Amino acid sequence: MSDDSHGAARSGPGQRSAELGVAVVMALFALLVIYGSIQAGIGWGAEGPKAGFFPFYVGIAILIASAVNFVRARGESSSELFADWGQLRQVLAVVVPTAVYVAVIPWIGLYVASLILIAFFMKRLGNYGWHQIAAIAIGLPLVAFVVFERWFLVPLPKGPIEAWLGF
Amino acid sequence: MEELANLMHGFSVALQPFNIGVMFLGIVLGVLIGVLPGLGGANGVAILLPLTFTMSPTSAIIMLSCIYWGALFGGAITSILFNIPGEPWSVATTFDGHPMAQKGKAGEALTAAFTSSFVGALFAIVMITLIAPLVAAFALKFGPAEQFSVYFLAFCSFVGMSKEPPFKTIAAMFIGFALAAVGLDSITGQLRLTFGTETLLTGFNFLIAVIGLFGIGEILLSIEEGLKFRGGKAGMNPKVVLQTWAELPRYWATSLRSCIIGCWMGISPAGATPASFMSYGIARRASKRGNNFGKGEIEGVVAPETAAHAAGTSALLPMLSLGVPGSPTAAVLLGGLLIWGLQPGPLLFVEQKEFVWGLIASMYISNVVGLIVVLTCVPLFAAILRIPFSIIAPVILVICAIGAYTVHNSTFDIVLMLVFGIIGYVMKKCDYPLAPMVLAIVLGDKAEENFRQSLLASQGSLDIFWSNGLVGSIMALGLIALFWPIFNVLWARMRPARAAT
Amino acid sequence: MMKSITKGVLGAAAVVCAAQLTPAQAWEPTRPVEFIIPAGPGGGADIMARTVQGIVTKHSLMKQPMVVINKAGGAGGEGFLDVKNSRNNPHKIVITLSNLFTTPLATGIPFSWKDLTPVAMLALDEFVLWVNAEKPYKTAKDYIEAAKKANGTYKMGGTGSKQEDQIITEAIQKQSGAKFIYIPQRGGGAVAVQLVGNHVDSTVNNPNEAVAHWRAGKLRPLCVFDAKPMPYKDVIAEGKSWGDIPVCKAQGLDIEYLMLRGIFMTPGANKAQVDYYIGLFQKVRQTDEWKKLMADGAFNQTFMTGPDYVKWVATEEKRHHDLMKDAGFLATK
């Protein structure tokens, strides 16, 4: 861990509020599970327990556990940090491009999207030259194409460019 | 002694040059399949099945089973290097395998994993050779109640002692159960927790959850500490194999225990996944260095890998002798047998001696071949970690996306994978354990199914779980495992008292 | 240069067309064909589809590769929805089992056979009533009498819930008055082994799921749920052939149930495309491998296409609806 950055200089969301947030989200999830289970039936029918019987109690268990976790998190000291803003910015620098990547796959296909993602990372984070970027960003999708589509006959999502090329 | 003669004949079949060639090809393809998440062993075998139609059944099954071995070996590679388990039974390998890689000991971890896999498989093959008929009869004893007790034991032995706060463990595990419940309820044939959407119909696949929680989550965690993977200085010295081998005999007890657990799980047939978790859980308790488990303990790699391979191998026995596949891959192999005109079942061992013993002999040889192939590649695999982060990170993201997509051929699953990745990151930061959650996603619906099948049979009476010696003793073992920490505390209190007297 | 190649290709194509004497508007796949299985690996539909794939590959019956994909989620609903949502994609076909009818009825997953384009019925799968060979029952009548006396404690194992096996069990209960506890399992092979291990009292396995255990003397067939005995005369076990198994009707169980193993295409397929696949499957049926699969699994080899097939499917859907309504298996909305 990066212990060299001093506690005083760091700022960011606190560990305590993160824990409280997680507990609340889990409790909401539990409520959703309980609601769905009641829809499916939580009683004991002709075939033994109904479909919602187990998920219902599972939901209750999550609810209780997150309540306990919530109370415990409240008792914690509030000085600890979840992560500082710099770290979070780093994390977002990966999450945001990946989210865009995932979002465009249905439209432009996995191959083209992967090409752009790899090129973006290599330029932004590694600052490589265009030759190296081109080699890897074009090479990997090509290898994936050969391995998956040709060799193992597993079709991957394709977009207009592949359709134009006749695949 | 007839078996021995049969086996010798089998070796002469398996050692034909063509069959040896087929073995190498199978192992290499298998490793590749195991490395790429999404292309599981079952997938790979199914895809390559038609290729084998032109071969003799013996050569064909040798090739397909080699793909299977290769995939078992290969599953460990991504688990150790990138924390991405390619197969359900490699999850437990990540617990100590990946921390070892982070400490720069990727070579040691890979060598330990491959060697343990080999030992586990060898143990299972010897068992198949010697006591196949007995084992088949044992497998028949497992009805729904017995199956449930096995899953119960797997949960208890793994969950009983967790370092994280107990309520966080409970929350994580039960969220796993809830996710496992989504989709079709197999007992009532009714949909549940899908909220009328078509995307939730298929439920949450384990692989997508695990690629996200472990693989993507790990990338996000690494990024926090600067844009690099730890463990980049991994040694490339081939000597690492020999050094690790010198160390391994120390863990013979763990190894033997894991072999037995694995064989049992493979036959019962609960499969390799509960075997690897159970074996890891028990090793952590039995080991003197149990507290270091999860921080890169070599024993924590030996235990799950040995058990998973022993289970994966012994799962072939119920498939051959009963026609019940112990794993999805075995199910596809089973289909292959039928297509070649071989009928799996009790008579296979009588009517198709040449085929059966050829296969068993090929298991011995192909595991040796497999071990050689993967061990020579250890320095190569370890060197992957030296690739700069800005290249390897997007490549891993792309491979993860392909893996998630191929599970159901659905782009929605790629979105789900990213969501699981963020969840994994936040949970890890907040000290929630991911392993019980994954275990619950993998085994939750099967355990529930067997539990309810048992209750149907007993008409609602829980006595069925104590109705015979077998199920009763497994349940008792499970309860002991669950309350082990309490026993431990009591034991510790008694001992000083005794010392005082 | 370019031109001459094009000409050559066109010429070759013309020769091929002339040789096959196909009409001018004949269609052929231009991309790999996806063969969807709405069931898991290792089951009856899976084995049949993979055999077809193997035959097509081995005999080079198609220029493009055939890719088999399992989409078993939601009792097969995943696979059917995928085909339904791939309108006008002629490179996707699906093999069906009874879940074509049972899944939408029991779960409310929104699809019906009418959403798909019917191609051909490949075969029908038989159902046989099996008991453990250690048990004294020699006929279905004996067994049903014993089940009646047991007062609803006999267990019937089957594949899936509210699907074919449970529908047959319901029909048996209705016909005979005997009551069973139905225990759903995941696959047919597992069901047969539960019977060998005496964890259930009887099953209605397909022939190929239980034949190995019959031959090993572990299971005994009592009767077949068909109108007439199966036509296969080769001796299988105990000096008996599939043809020697009496029909259930003669045993006082007037129940006929056969499972469809048929092919459908995506919605919006045109006649040329359907005809291509019919031709393909006719070629598959001529191969020795297919004949062996049929004989090993004691299939009913009815082959149907066009209006006959549509009519058969429509009748079956109606019948499933009625049977499932009686049993209370319809999804509540």
Side-chain angles (χ1 to χ4, degrees):
Chain A
M1 303 270 161
S2 47
D3 284 324
D4 45 352
S5 55
H6 291 286
R10 298 166 80 217
S11 72
Q15 180 73 19
R16 185 165 162 265
S17 31
E19 299 239 359
L20 291 177
V22 170
V24 169
V25 171
M26 284 185 176
L28 289 176
F29 175 77
L31 289 176
L32 189 68
V33 170
I34 292 170
Y35 169 71
S37 310
I38 291 171
Q39 270 191 329
I42 57 167
W44 200 280
E47 300 149 310
K50 283 190 185 166
F53 182 83
F54 280 86
F56 178 75
Y57 290 102
V58 164
I60 300 277
I62 303 171
L63 199 60
I64 294 170
S66 27
V68 173
N69 289 334
F70 187 84
V71 172
R72 291 214 170 163
R74 275 185 59 133
E76 268 174 31
S77 73
S78 54
S79 60
E80 237 180 290
L81 285 188
F82 176 76
D84 66 33
W85 292 118
Q87 289 175 330
L88 280 187
R89 208 172 301 125
Q90 300 263 47
V91 171
L92 282 181
V94 172
V95 170
V96 172
T98 312
V100 173
Y101 168 69
V102 166
V104 300
I105 284 177
W107 312 108
I108 64 169
L110 186 131
Y111 297 107
V112 178
S114 302
L115 192 156
I116 298 170
L117 180 81
I118 296 171
F120 175 82
F121 266 75
M122 286 181 73
K123 189 77 205 160
R124 224 4 236 292
L125 305 179
N127 207 12
Y128 285 91
W130 285 113
H131 292 290
Q132 286 159 301
I133 292 179
I136 292 176
I138 298 174
L140 187 91
L142 274 182
V143 170
F145 180 81
V146 171
V147 171
F148 284 89
E149 308 261 347
R150 286 290 125 111
W151 220 9
F152 289 120
L153 297 177
V154 176
L156 297 180
K158 286 180 276 293
I161 296 179
E162 289 91 341
W164 178 69
L165 287 170
F167 292 108
Chain B
M1 278 308 95
E2 199 203 337
E3 275 85 8
L4 210 62
N6 285 332
L7 184 64
M8 286 306 136
H9 179 67
F11 272 117
S12 69
V13 174
L15 281 171
Q16 285 162 8
F18 179 72
N19 288 343
I20 295 272
V22 160
M23 260 178 227
F24 266 100
L25 184 67
I27 294 277
V28 172
L29 282 175
V31 172
L32 186 66
I33 287 167
V35 167
L36 296 170
L39 266 192
N43 237 329
V45 172
I47 290 159
L48 296 167
L49 193 58
L51 288 186
T52 62
F53 278 77
T54 45
M55 302 178 186
S56 77
T58 313
S59 303
I61 191 89
I62 288 176
M63 169 145 168
L64 292 183
S65 58
C66 281
I67 293 173
Y68 184 55
W69 311 135
L72 280 171
F73 278 123
I77 299 171
T78 43
S79 305
I80 290 170
L81 296 183
F82 302 120
N83 209 29
I84 304 171
E87 306 278 358
W89 52 79
S90 316
V91 173
T93 311
T94 62
F95 301 156
D96 279 280
H98 187 61
M100 278 182 80
Q102 287 179 326
K103 286 194 210 157
K105 286 185 177 175
E108 284 92 328
L110 287 167
T111 309
F114 295 149
T115 314
S116 315
S117 305
F118 174 75
V119 170
L122 194 67
F123 186 90
I125 302 165
V126 171
M127 182 199 69
I128 292 178
T129 316
L130 298 180
I131 53 168
L134 275 178
V135 166
F138 178 65
L140 280 175
K141 295 208 184 304
F142 282 78
E146 287 79 6
Q147 293 274 15
F148 172 75
S149 67
V150 168
Y151 290 126
F152 180 73
L153 176 57
F155 275 111
C156 293
S157 56
F158 186 73
V159 171
M161 195 172 76
S162 187
K163 280 191 248 13
E164 284 83 2
F167 279 93
K168 287 189 174 172
T169 309
I170 291 173
M173 186 164 84
F174 278 84
I175 285 175
F177 280 127
L179 293 176
V182 175
L184 190 87
D185 170 35
S186 60
I187 300 292
T188 58
Q190 197 187 333
L191 291 174
R192 60 182 179 187
L193 302 178
T194 59
F195 304 102
T197 56
E198 286 178 13
T199 36
L200 288 180
L201 205 91
T202 53
F204 287 93
N205 185 282
F206 147 85
L207 254 177
I208 294 157
V210 129
I211 291 174
L213 290 172
F214 285 69
I216 309 284
E218 182 65 25
I219 291 182
L220 298 181
L221 283 173
S222 324
I223 283 163
E224 243 187 26
E225 295 157 28
L227 300 174
K228 61 179 196 318
F229 271 124
R230 284 172 286 170
K233 293 179 294 295
M236 277 178 63
N237 192 342
K239 263 194 204 150
V240 83
V241 172
L242 297 176
Q243 285 161 0
T244 314
W245 274 5
E247 203 184 326
L248 285 178
R250 226 181 287 164
Y251 306 113
W252 65 272
T254 302
S255 225
L256 183 65
R257 182 181 345 102
S258 306
C259 283
I260 294 168
I261 293 173
C263 286
W264 172 31
M265 292 293 117
I267 295 159
S268 63
T273 314
S276 60
F277 277 95
M278 198 192 285
S279 173
Y280 181 87
I282 293 176
R284 184 169 59 179
R285 266 171 228 187
S287 168
K288 283 188 209 94
R289 303 167 56 84
N291 282 334
N292 286 339
F293 269 51
K295 294 175 194 156
E297 198 60 29
I298 199 163
E299 205 175 347
V301 176
V302 170
E305 279 294 308
T306 312
H309 244 192
T313 308
S314 52
L316 291 182
L317 189 66
M319 178 198 93
L320 293 171
S321 62
L322 295 172
V324 190
S327 74
T329 316
V332 181
L333 285 175
L334 188 72
L337 291 181
L338 292 172
I339 294 170
W340 303 312
L342 295 167
Q343 204 169 59
L347 294 182
L348 190 71
F349 281 78
V350 182
E351 292 170 348
Q352 302 284 349
K353 282 205 174 97
E354 173 133 340
F355 166 79
V356 170
W357 290 102
L359 173 63
I360 292 177
S362 86
M363 291 180 181
Y364 283 99
I365 303 166
S366 59
N367 265 294
V368 176
V369 170
L371 186 68
I372 294 169
V373 169
V374 288
L375 280 183
T376 44
C377 296
V378 162
L380 186 76
F381 294 137
I384 295 177
L385 284 177
R386 298 188 160 196
I387 301 175
F389 183 86
S390 52
I391 298 177
I392 199 73
V395 170
I396 293 176
L397 287 174
V398 168
I399 291 176
C400 286
I402 294 176
Y405 175 79
T406 47
V407 172
H408 289 134
N409 291 293
S410 150
T411 46
F412 176 71
D413 286 343
I414 310 181
V415 178
L416 215 53
M417 169 197 82
L418 181 61
V419 173
F420 271 115
I422 297 166
I423 293 175
Y425 166 73
V426 175
M427 280 178 72
K428 199 92 191 256
K429 299 264 325 178
C430 289
D431 221 13
Y432 284 86
L434 296 179
M437 182 167 162
V438 167
L439 186 65
I441 295 178
V442 185
L443 298 183
D445 57 337
K446 288 191 195 130
E448 184 197 339
E449 187 179 297
N450 282 308
F451 184 75
R452 287 166 65 191
Q453 282 168 349
S454 315
L455 286 191
L456 277 177
S458 70
Q459 296 179 301
S461 159
L462 289 170
D463 292 348
I464 190 165
F465 298 112
W466 303 98
S467 60
N468 63 52
L470 182 63
V471 62
S473 38
I474 303 174
M475 292 296 285
L477 275 177
L479 289 175
I480 292 172
L482 186 63
F483 295 111
W484 188 260
I486 299 174
F487 291 134
N488 244 359
V489 170
L490 290 179
W491 181 244
R493 272 196 201 148
M494 273 164 64
R495 245 195 323 207
R498 214 182 285 163
T501 51
Chain C
M1 183 64 193
M2 219 36 214
K3 224 177 225 170
S4 71
I5 288 175
T6 325
K7 219 187 251 169
V9 170
L10 280 179
V15 169
V16 169
C17 282
Q20 291 185 338
L21 291 174
T22 39
Q25 69 273 35
W27 178 88
E28 246 190 289
T30 52
R31 284 194 280 133
V33 172
E34 291 178 26
F35 195 177
I36 307 286
I37 308 169
D46 182 68
I47 289 167
M48 186 174 276
R50 290 189 193 283
T51 311
V52 167
Q53 181 201 24
I55 292 171
V56 168
T57 315
K58 187 175 171 186
H59 297 273
S60 312
L61 299 180
M62 208 160 69
K63 287 199 191 94
Q64 292 287 337
M66 181 180 261
V67 185
V68 172
I69 299 174
N70 293 90
K71 285 189 175 251
E78 182 195 0
F80 288 117
L81 284 178
D82 176 44
V83 178
K84 178 186 168 185
N85 294 334
S86 307
R87 173 167 283 278
N88 294 330
N89 175 359
H91 297 99
K92 195 175 269 187
I93 57 176
V94 60
I95 187 164
T96 70
L97 40 155
S98 283
N99 62 0
L100 175 65
F101 311 119
T102 55
T103 298
L105 289 172
T107 62
I109 296 173
F111 72 87
S112 126
W113 68 272
K114 292 183 189 108
D115 296 329
L116 316 175
T117 310
V119 175
M121 173 194 289
L122 292 183
L124 294 168
D125 213 340
E126 304 275 2
F127 287 82
V128 173
L129 181 63
W130 300 89
V131 290
N132 192 304
E134 291 165 9
K135 296 285 168 70
Y137 324 114
K138 298 287 177 206
T139 65
K141 215 177 226 150
D142 292 353
Y143 177 66
I144 296 295
E145 286 309 317
K148 269 188 200 162
K149 285 203 192 91
N151 248 338
T153 56
Y154 271 32
K155 297 182 273 279
M156 178 77 86
T159 313
S161 182
K162 295 176 185 164
Q163 294 177 25
E164 57 280 357
D165 288 6
Q166 198 172 5
I167 290 175
I168 297 174
T169 308
E170 279 293 326
I172 296 173
Q173 302 196 99
K174 209 174 143 196
Q175 275 268 328
S176 65
K179 282 270 168 280
F180 292 94
I181 302 167
Y182 179 79
I183 301 190
Q185 295 274 341
R186 281 210 178 180
V191 174
V193 169
Q194 291 291 312
L195 183 59
V196 176
N198 269 319
H199 301 288
V200 294
D201 298 288
S202 57
T203 69
V204 289
N205 274 108
N206 300 128
N208 62 348
E209 291 166 348
V211 60
H213 304 289
W214 183 23
R215 294 182 56 225
K218 301 287 186 197
L219 298 184
R220 180 183 303 133
L222 294 181
C223 67
V224 58
F225 295 96
D226 198 352
K228 51 182 195 295
M230 291 176 271
Y232 301 94
K233 295 293 175 208
D234 290 340
V235 170
I236 307 278
E238 312 167 64
K240 283 195 193 166
S241 71
W242 288 115
D244 294 328
I245 302 173
V247 295
C248 291
K249 196 173 178 181
Q251 302 273 313
L253 284 174
D254 189 5
I255 301 161
E256 276 174 39
Y257 192 93
L258 289 160
M259 177 148 72
L260 173 64
R261 303 281 188 202
I263 303 292
F264 284 80
M265 276 183 80
T266 48
N270 64 35
K271 189 167 181 313
Q273 290 159 350
V274 173
D275 284 345
Y276 170 80
Y277 288 110
I278 291 177
L280 179 72
F281 282 103
Q282 266 162 348
K283 279 181 232 160
V284 167
R285 277 168 53 85
Q286 299 310 315
T287 59
D288 291 338
E289 288 89 349
W290 177 264
K291 285 175 186 155
K292 183 163 171 16
L293 176 80
M294 290 291 106
D296 285 348
F299 283 93
N300 179 325
Q301 296 195 42
T302 314
F303 185 76
M304 274 185 205
T305 58
D308 290 345
Y309 182 36
V310 173
K311 200 175 143 214
W312 189 93
V313 173
T315 319
E316 272 303 283
E317 190 200 28
K318 173 84 178 48
R319 195 164 83 102
H320 277 88
H321 186 271
D322 295 346
L323 284 168
M324 290 178 69
K325 195 175 171 195
D326 284 350
F329 288 171
L330 296 184
T332 47
K333 289 250 168 80

